[in-house]
Amino acid sequence: MGPLPASHEIVQAGWQAVRRDGRVRDELIDVAYRAPRLRQLFPWTGMGELHFSRCTEPRWTWDIPYIQPTKGGGYWVSGPLRNESVGPAVTAEAAVAMVIARLPSGTGPAFVGTPEQLAAHEASLGPGRS
């Protein structure tokens, strides 16, 4: 067996998959990908929404707001949980900025693994070190 793929390789494959699946506006994918803090996270889609995860494996993390399209070309930023709302954004740039402003403290490159493995890893680092 060869070495496991690095986080950035898995994340890049995720961005390519999101672009190929066609459920998210290309404009939004382009703007989000140009943002270094989001480009390092694992992207995934659901119901036309663009989500970002701090880990590379499903169930993915639900601690980052996500962006959904609105009629007329704008966006709505929600989350991180489904019952939470951030607000409207006229442009993809504004929506991306709203997400970046709400990233959890210490958000870095996506962790290779599941949310549970990420939590165990973060716990092993001690308080305040993620």
Side-chain angles (χ1 to χ4, degrees):
M1 241 209 265
L4 293 174
S7 172
H8 72 276
E9 292 170 341
I10 296 169
V11 168
Q12 287 303 309
W15 281 100
Q16 291 170 4
V18 163
R19 185 172 295 284
R20 276 192 314 271
D21 86 8
R23 291 187 280 174
V24 174
R25 294 176 187 159
D26 286 341
E27 167 197 48
L28 178 58
I29 296 169
D30 292 344
V31 171
Y33 187 80
R34 283 195 304 263
R37 294 194 65 203
L38 295 184
R39 184 174 53 239
Q40 68 182 345
L41 300 173
F42 189 84
W44 60 280
T45 62
M47 302 188 306
E49 305 158 344
L50 181 58
H51 295 258
F52 308 93
S53 178
R54 294 187 311 114
C55 66
T56 62
E57 299 297 321
R59 289 183 344 247
W60 298 296
T61 58
W62 274 88
D63 55 357
I64 297 173
Y66 58 95
I67 305 167
Q68 53 199 334
T70 61
K71 291 183 180 179
Y75 298 93
W76 190 270
V77 179
S78 297
L81 301 176
R82 286 248 180 240
N83 64 350
E84 298 173 324
S85 180
V86 176
V90 175
T91 65
E93 289 83 2
V96 164
M98 292 166 78
V99 170
I100 291 170
R102 290 163 179 81
L103 287 174
S105 177
T107 298
F111 175 85
V112 176
T114 65
E116 295 79 15
Q117 291 167 328
L118 171 60
H121 171 74
E122 289 176 340
S124 74
L125 296 175
R129 297 183 59 198
S130 53

